[in-house]
Amino acid sequence: MMDILVVGSGGREHAICRRLRQSPSTGKLYCAPGNTGIAADAECVNIGVSELDKLADFAVSHKIGLTVVGPEVPLCEGITDVFMARGLNIFGPAKAAAALEGSKTFAKKFMQKYNIPTAAAEFFTDEKNALEYVDKLFADGAKGAVVKADGLAAGKGVIVALDKENAIRGVKECFGGNFGKAGTKILIEECLFGEEASILALTDGKTIIPLASSQDHKRLLDDDQGPNTGGMGAYSPAPVVTPELQKTVNEEVLNRFLKGIQAENLFFRGVIYAGVMVTERGPKVLEFNVRFGDPETQAILIRLESDLAEVMLKTATGRLNEVELNWYKDPAVCVVMASGGYPEDYKKGYEISGLKEAEETGAAVFHAGTSLKDGKVVNTGGRVLGVTARGSDISEAVKNAYKAVSKIHWQDCFYRKDIAAKAISRLK
Ligand code: AMP
Ligand code: GLY
């Protein structure tokens, strides 16, 4: 048994804490800073995710056997380097490797060097050259272009333009300072068409093991309409990832990724997440993230049968070759409930009712943006809850998740009604 610290405060961290709490090898479980929902599964500690030294001090003073990092920000700030220097076990890549998420230029060059299939791209630090390139692309008949600001821009900073006018606007937004420092370096890449899937894999730098496939729902509204969000729902497995496609991804993405981090001496013990577009020309990587996806993790971990604490410890200590992952066959669906107005401004502080009734249906209600006010649970974030359920097939899982959703209410709450509809139509 070991005591574990989870770093983060979203639905993803709640799903990780829930699964860790169920692991026979977990002793005391802490989460920094956690949230109101996580407090039912772990002891919340009032330290922020970027307070790296304070987190390490806590791990030392509480004899923490393993720290698990949820979000990308502390990884890009070097939390793993700080913990390693103090001899602490930590699940998450070192700062230099986290640049695979923190810098889109670095990631693209890595993919090009190690022959990982991805969209063709050009790099720019000058607005005039970038605009000339856009001109040339569309003159040559491109059906679109994607403009990406270089650094972490909290899910923003990517403009998918289906015509020249929007591409020009994207370039001007980046250089105009809309994404801060992230926008002073940009890439412009080929626009890919197809269905997206999330491929997550565990690696300790020597072995790489894919997790169950999943799919996110990035757009706000049904039928993939409306603006991009942090993710409005997810399901696992994703039928678009056929066994044949998974084999191609293992060979062309995961194995080449492993070779690349070895050749570049990038220290990586954690989870690598490839956002993949399944095109007519095969799978292409849109982005790398160096952490678990949110909300995909809610749907993935609820299907994991293996002891998560042991799996994570072995990953963090370079013994992933000893791990064999077992999964429940039942698919899982996560429906995100958001505050009305999200991803723009929204009102906070409304009391949320029906949480207990929702869990009594057998679903898991993961908290992302809630707080306690006068003893009542209220909404305080854009994405508020991730209501997650399994079922004997995907339709059953959808039914179970929405049944739980129907029990929950607060003023102006909002959710998509078509989570996993793509999976269902693919299986028909
Ligand atoms: P990224 O942060 O790079 O994953 O981009 C965010 C979203 O933009 C992705 O999930 C895709 O929906 C879209 N996207 C990114 N790159 C491309 C591309 N080359 N072609 C089409 N869509 C893209
Ligand atoms: N689900 C998208 C992300 O975690 O980045």
Side-chain angles (χ1 to χ4, degrees):
M1 293 256 276
M2 64 181 159
D3 294 350
I4 303 179
L5 169 65
V6 174
V7 176
S9 62
R12 163 183 55 206
E13 288 76 19
H14 195 181
I16 291 171
C17 284
R18 175 68 54 88
R19 209 59 204 81
L20 285 174
R21 186 171 59 75
Q22 294 161 343
S23 287
S25 34
T26 302
K28 277 201 91 166
L29 182 61
Y30 300 93
C31 188
N35 66 34
T36 303
I38 291 175
D41 291 288
E43 186 178 326
C44 293
V45 182
N46 192 17
I47 307 177
V49 301
S50 290
E51 297 184 276
L52 309 188
D53 288 314
K54 273 197 189 166
L55 289 167
D57 290 343
F58 179 89
V60 170
S61 63
H62 288 72
K63 299 194 170 55
I64 297 296
L66 174 69
T67 296
V68 176
V69 188
E72 62 276 17
V73 168
L75 293 168
C76 290
E77 290 169 343
I79 188 171
T80 297
D81 309 67
V82 170
F83 272 59
M84 297 280 297
R86 295 177 69 169
L88 296 160
N89 292 331
I90 184 159
F91 180 98
K95 184 175 180 173
L100 286 166
E101 174 163 0
S103 163
K104 292 191 186 292
T105 311
F106 180 74
K108 184 63 78 176
K109 289 187 173 156
F110 178 90
M111 289 188 248
Q112 290 171 340
K113 186 165 176 188
Y114 294 98
N115 200 20
I116 294 169
T118 184
E122 296 285 335
F123 307 90
F124 299 94
T125 51
D126 175 89
E127 181 172 334
K128 188 168 154 281
N129 291 343
L131 290 174
E132 277 172 18
Y133 181 69
V134 166
D135 234 16
K136 182 179 169 308
L137 264 184
F138 284 92
D140 289 347
K143 292 204 168 49
V146 182
V147 182
K148 298 186 174 182
D150 185 56
L152 279 185
K156 305 195 181 83
V158 174
I159 301 112
V160 179
L162 296 178
D163 54 39
K164 191 164 124 187
E165 287 62 43
N166 277 308
I168 291 171
R169 200 166 58 206
V171 169
K172 288 189 169 164
E173 270 181 29
C174 286
F175 285 109
N178 268 16
F179 310 115
K181 247 178 87 186
T184 55
K185 255 200 221 157
I186 68 164
L187 49 161
I188 301 181
E189 65 179 48
E190 168 198 10
C191 190
L192 299 172
F193 297 92
E195 192 173 331
E196 286 180 50
S198 303
I199 305 286
L200 281 68
L202 296 172
T203 184
D204 63 356
K206 295 176 286 189
T207 304
I208 192 158
I209 305 180
L211 299 176
S213 65
S214 59
Q215 190 177 65
D216 190 5
H217 296 65
K218 291 210 161 109
R219 302 294 200 98
L220 181 69
L221 306 173
D222 286 9
D223 294 326
D224 294 333
Q225 302 295 310
N228 260 331
T229 69
M232 294 301 294
Y235 59 87
S236 170
V240 66
V241 185
T242 58
E244 195 192 355
L245 186 88
Q246 181 74 53
K247 197 163 159 263
T248 308
V249 168
N250 292 351
E251 282 163 12
E252 297 183 359
V253 179
L254 300 183
N255 290 345
R256 291 178 195 176
F257 166 83
L258 186 60
K259 267 208 191 111
I261 57 167
Q262 288 169 346
E264 302 290 322
N265 258 324
L266 294 173
F267 185 86
F268 205 120
R269 290 178 175 176
V271 65
I272 177 73
Y273 159 159
V276 167
M277 182 79 88
V278 182
T279 74
E280 282 171 357
R281 290 173 293 142
K284 307 256 182 192
V285 177
L286 298 173
E287 62 168 345
F288 278 129
N289 295 316
V290 297
R291 41 129 188 120
F292 282 101
D294 194 344
E296 292 96 319
T297 300
Q298 287 84 316
I300 292 172
L301 287 188
I302 208 167
R303 299 187 54 230
L304 181 70
E305 201 182 342
S306 309
D307 179 337
L308 181 64
E310 191 193 327
V311 168
M312 286 180 151
L313 180 67
K314 288 195 165 161
T315 307
T317 52
R319 292 179 293 144
L320 189 58
N321 61 329
E322 295 170 18
V323 167
E324 195 190 311
L325 294 179
N326 296 311
W327 300 94
Y328 295 110
K329 283 238 160 6
D330 288 3
V333 169
C334 170
V335 177
V336 169
M337 299 183 75
S339 299
Y342 172 79
E344 305 296 331
D345 282 348
Y346 50 84
K347 287 214 177 105
K348 304 176 186 184
Y350 295 124
E351 182 181 353
I352 302 173
S353 64
L355 291 167
K356 200 165 143 264
E357 290 80 357
E359 291 224 309
E360 278 167 5
T361 67
V365 180
F366 297 122
H367 291 230
T370 63
S371 294
L372 269 187
K373 194 173 102 186
D374 305 328
K376 291 178 177 138
V377 180
V378 299
N379 70 316
T380 46
R383 291 189 297 168
V384 178
L385 301 169
V387 181
T388 310
R390 296 198 316 233
S392 54
D393 61 20
I394 188 85
S395 303
E396 207 51 39
V398 166
K399 219 186 281 166
N400 292 341
Y402 279 107
K403 185 171 167 204
V405 164
S406 74
K407 309 280 178 196
I408 299 175
H409 183 75
W410 71 92
Q411 195 174 323
D412 300 338
C413 79
F414 171 83
Y415 54 91
R416 271 179 69 158
K417 314 283 186 298
D418 68 340
I419 301 303
K422 270 205 204 95
I424 292 172
S425 64
R426 198 170 268 280
L427 292 174
K428 265 184 190 152

